[in-house]
Amino acid sequence: MTELGESSPGNASGEGPFAASGSSFTPASEGAALGEPIGSVLDVSGSGSRIFLDMERLREYAAHPDSTLAQAGQVGTQVKIRCDRGWVVANLRDQIQGSHEGRHGVLANIDFLGEADESLQRFRRGVTRFPRAGSPVYPTSNSDMRQIYASDGRSSIQVGTVYPTSDIRAGVYIDAMLGKHFALLGSTGTGKSTAAALILHRICESSPEGHIVMIDPHGEYSAAFRDTGEIFDVDNLQMPYWLMNFEEHCEAFLTSSGDSRQEDADILAKCLLKARAKNRLAETLGKVTVDSPIPYLLSDLTKYLQDEMGQLEKATSSVPYLRIKSKIDELKSDPRYSFMFSGMLVGDTMTKFLGKIFRMPSSGKPISIIDVSGVPSDITTTVVAVLSRLMFDFAIWGRKEGTSPLLLVCEEAHRYVPNERNADGSSVGRVLSRIAKEGRKYGISLGLITQRPSDLAEGVLSQCGTIISMRLNNDRDQTFVRAAMPEGARGFLDTIASLRNRECIICGEGVTVPVRVAFDDLEEAKRPASEDPSFSSRWREPGSDMESLDRIVHRWRSQGK
């Protein structure tokens, strides 16, 4: 007698409960042993098939101690179909009650995932040998799932367990995921921030000499990486203003719009070039442009503006010069901008700054958390643009040096690379879009994290080779993600709206086949500060608010944490 979950030669040829004959099968005799087919193939297409599942056989499997076999026939589970010299594995996408050849059962559509040999080893994505109509359909057992999702030897990180099992580890191939970018998607409250921290912790543990920069707009991740990374905020970032290229200078210094903005830009370009050229470093380089990252004094820039203004014939035409000069003086005097526009940042510290931000050397802390929550909102996108562009330029100019690859992770990515409907023309969107399209050629990887994928720029998500999708409640977001995911993941995508918290669908280059995963628990000390407040418990504590009011007001007034 064949054990449940195993296939005997008789089963493979269609003997047993269901003897395949064209698209029909003969019902099992009363009390027949389990471990036989649960249905048969009705028709076959290039990407999937339609099958019939027998309800009587599914009820028999429901009592099996193997939890994977017990869920046979459920949407999102896998089935295997006998082929010429092995098996074709497919995912059950949907089902509807129906009958076939006089038997009551389920009509279901399946998506082909891949194929394997007789023992289900050496599983490969894609199908080269298709099953025929009438081929018997078998459920997958826990041991089958272990073979399907077994690592092929490439470097990987483990992030959770494979659904519907409780003990099969789910891994993601690091090189494949980072080499072609990745995106982590999920509605607010699904555990997205904790999942991001888990993935980054696993990468850091696997690659202690890595170079990771994470843009943190809410200050959530400082708590998660305080012991394993370097935390930078407005108190210690110390990002020199002269690292900005001309486009970023325009965003920071120009306040006009329309034709006036172009006039102001021409004036700024002329004076900025003079200010950069005054540095002794410029003399050794020969060619200097407005984009050259050469230190200059803000006082020199305003002096050249003043000089140019003094050469004007009409006093009325001095307005654009005064506009630019006024904005520069404002940035210099406002303490909120001192992390970037301080007079102390005029020295040539470019090498030192890149080293500390890019973690070169990493010194056991391979990740930099850039907390931009304290950055004034009018310049936040410029700061992110400078950091992103520096990474891209570093990768380009360091190509001949064989430098280590870099990873840039952007939380709230829809803020920085918005679609055309929400675009504001800022440089950060163009920089990140360019990294998404060209970054992998230069060894720079991009990780996008967002709860609103439909608000991302068109084409950016499709550049992500690996997509990790948690629950998405919005129909527009679900549709957008479906369009970006590969064809074979359609059955998994239909479950996005019903995923539990801390569950996800992973598909693309980072996994052998699309997989539903329950994320591991993350230790308290490694979690981001993103938990929702407990209203019921905090509102029972008397006096706690009064004790903190003075401290809050002090930090508020001093604009510090």
Side-chain angles (χ1 to χ4, degrees):
M1 182 181 294
T2 304
E3 293 294 324
L4 187 61
E6 297 178 353
S7 302
S8 68
N11 294 345
S13 62
E15 298 170 12
F18 303 127
S21 175
S23 60
S24 62
F25 49 82
T26 304
S29 58
E30 186 73 11
L34 297 178
E36 305 294 346
I38 55 175
S40 69
V41 175
L42 298 181
D43 53 55
V44 180
S45 65
S47 61
S49 173
R50 191 164 62 99
I51 62 175
F52 177 77
L53 301 176
D54 183 80
M55 284 301 299
E56 180 182 344
R57 188 62 69 229
L58 294 178
R59 282 192 291 268
E60 290 175 342
Y61 271 103
H64 197 273
D66 184 322
S67 61
T68 306
L69 286 171
Q71 297 186 60
Q74 292 188 17
V75 170
T77 58
Q78 284 73 50
V79 294
K80 56 184 181 180
I81 305 169
R82 203 70 164 106
C83 207
D84 293 339
R85 296 183 300 277
W87 298 95
V88 169
V89 179
N91 181 68
L92 204 154
R93 188 201 319 163
D94 55 32
Q95 58 181 233
I96 187 172
Q97 190 174 15
S99 60
H100 179 70
E101 298 291 334
R103 288 188 62 81
H104 175 65
V106 171
L107 297 174
N109 289 304
I110 59 175
D111 298 311
F112 296 141
L113 298 178
E115 59 188 10
D117 59 14
E118 297 277 352
S119 60
L120 269 177
Q121 294 181 355
R122 294 189 293 277
F123 180 83
R124 297 175 302 278
R125 180 190 295 182
V127 177
T128 58
R129 301 185 304 273
F130 291 88
R132 298 180 179 87
S135 297
V137 176
Y138 297 83
T140 53
S141 65
N142 201 68
S143 59
D144 293 335
M145 297 286 285
R146 197 178 302 279
Q147 294 289 354
I148 293 170
Y149 292 105
S151 172
D152 61 9
R154 289 180 287 170
S155 179
S156 63
I157 55 172
Q158 294 186 349
V159 296
T161 54
V162 176
Y163 174 88
T165 73
S166 59
D167 60 344
I168 297 178
R169 302 294 292 154
V172 181
Y173 297 116
I174 296 180
D175 292 332
M177 179 176 75
L178 301 186
K180 296 183 179 178
H181 312 314
F182 72 93
L184 173 59
L185 318 171
S187 296
T188 301
T190 58
K192 183 175 74 279
S193 298
T194 303
L198 170 67
I199 292 170
L200 292 175
H201 273 300
R202 294 287 192 267
I203 293 175
C204 291
E205 292 164 4
S206 173
S207 308
E209 297 300 319
H211 310 289
I212 306 169
V213 177
M214 181 177 201
I215 307 298
D216 179 11
H218 302 302
E220 294 178 297
Y221 294 89
S222 299
F225 293 94
R226 195 166 301 280
D227 298 327
T228 55
E230 287 291 340
I231 314 300
F232 298 98
D233 54 24
V234 292
D235 294 327
N236 65 347
L237 181 58
Q238 299 295 291
M239 185 173 77
Y241 57 87
W242 48 264
L243 285 174
M244 294 189 294
N245 63 16
F246 178 64
E247 185 179 17
E248 292 149 3
H249 270 86
C250 289
E251 289 184 358
F253 292 163
L254 304 187
T255 58
S256 55
S257 59
D259 294 338
S260 296
R261 187 174 183 85
Q262 184 57 53
E263 181 184 2
D264 291 4
D266 293 338
I267 295 171
L268 178 61
K270 185 176 181 179
C271 297
L272 178 60
L273 184 59
K274 288 183 177 180
R276 290 198 192 275
K278 187 177 179 181
N279 192 301
R280 291 181 179 178
L281 183 60
E283 299 175 3
T284 64
L285 297 177
K287 181 182 179 181
V288 176
T289 71
V290 289
D291 289 329
S292 300
I294 297 174
Y296 70 90
L297 293 171
L298 287 173
S299 57
D300 284 339
L301 179 58
T302 55
K303 175 181 176 298
Y304 288 125
L305 285 168
Q306 192 74 37
D307 292 345
E308 290 290 324
M309 187 168 56
Q311 298 176 17
L312 297 174
E313 296 179 358
K314 296 181 180 180
T316 54
S317 59
S318 64
V319 172
Y321 295 88
L322 292 173
R323 266 199 306 258
I324 301 172
K325 185 177 181 298
S326 175
K327 183 61 178 180
I328 295 173
D329 291 339
E330 175 190 330
L331 294 173
K332 287 170 60 178
S333 60
D334 193 330
R336 296 178 302 157
Y337 302 92
S338 60
F339 72 94
M340 188 172 179
F341 294 99
S342 169
M344 304 296 291
L345 299 175
V346 71
D348 184 9
T349 56
M350 184 172 181
T351 301
K352 181 179 178 182
F353 179 78
L354 295 181
K356 76 175 185 179
I357 296 298
F358 298 166
R359 309 306 305 138
M360 295 181 176
S362 66
S363 302
K365 294 184 175 183
I367 185 170
S368 291
I369 304 297
I370 313 296
D371 178 1
V372 296
S373 60
V375 175
S377 58
D378 63 324
I379 204 171
T380 300
T381 57
T382 304
V383 171
V384 176
V386 173
L387 293 168
S388 304
R389 180 189 52 79
L390 286 175
M391 292 189 74
F392 189 64
D393 286 351
F394 176 84
I396 291 176
W397 294 109
R399 197 175 188 183
K400 292 183 178 179
E401 300 290 334
T403 55
S404 295
L406 306 172
L407 169 60
L408 173 62
V409 182
C410 286
E411 174 69 273
E412 297 278 350
H414 59 278
R415 288 187 178 187
Y416 307 119
V417 276
N419 56 27
E420 291 184 6
R421 183 163 50 90
N422 300 312
D424 57 1
S426 61
S427 60
V428 65
R430 289 186 287 274
V431 171
L432 291 177
S433 293
R434 189 179 180 192
I435 291 176
K437 294 174 183 176
E438 306 174 31
R440 63 188 184 90
K441 295 187 291 188
Y442 301 103
I444 177 171
S445 178
L446 182 64
L448 302 176
I449 304 172
T450 179
Q451 70 265 28
R452 293 304 304 271
S454 60
D455 286 344
L456 282 172
E458 290 78 1
V460 170
L461 189 60
S462 62
Q463 296 290 333
C464 295
T466 301
I467 295 179
I468 305 168
S469 180
M470 305 181 77
R471 187 174 68 250
L472 291 169
N473 299 323
N474 185 280
D475 289 340
R476 193 158 59 94
D477 290 328
Q478 294 172 21
T479 302
F480 193 82
V481 173
R482 283 192 184 95
M485 282 189 168
E487 185 77 7
R490 286 185 303 173
F492 290 91
L493 291 175
D494 291 339
T495 65
I496 283 180
S498 60
L499 292 173
R500 295 177 295 182
N501 287 351
R502 295 178 48 250
E503 280 192 347
C504 71
I505 303 296
I506 307 178
C507 69
E509 301 295 330
V511 289
T512 305
V513 290
V515 57
R516 179 173 173 176
V517 174
F519 281 118
D520 289 336
D521 285 325
L522 194 59
E523 304 93 303
E524 187 71 32
K526 294 183 177 181
R527 294 178 188 172
S530 58
E531 291 187 5
D532 295 330
S534 174
F535 289 85
S536 58
S537 62
R538 292 301 299 272
W539 283 0
R540 293 193 188 103
E541 300 173 6
S544 59
D545 295 328
M546 288 301 300
E547 296 172 2
S548 60
L549 269 177
D550 287 338
R551 296 190 297 271
I552 292 173
V553 170
H554 175 73
R555 286 196 298 271
W556 194 343
R557 286 172 172 166
S558 62
Q559 296 291 296
K561 295 184 177 182

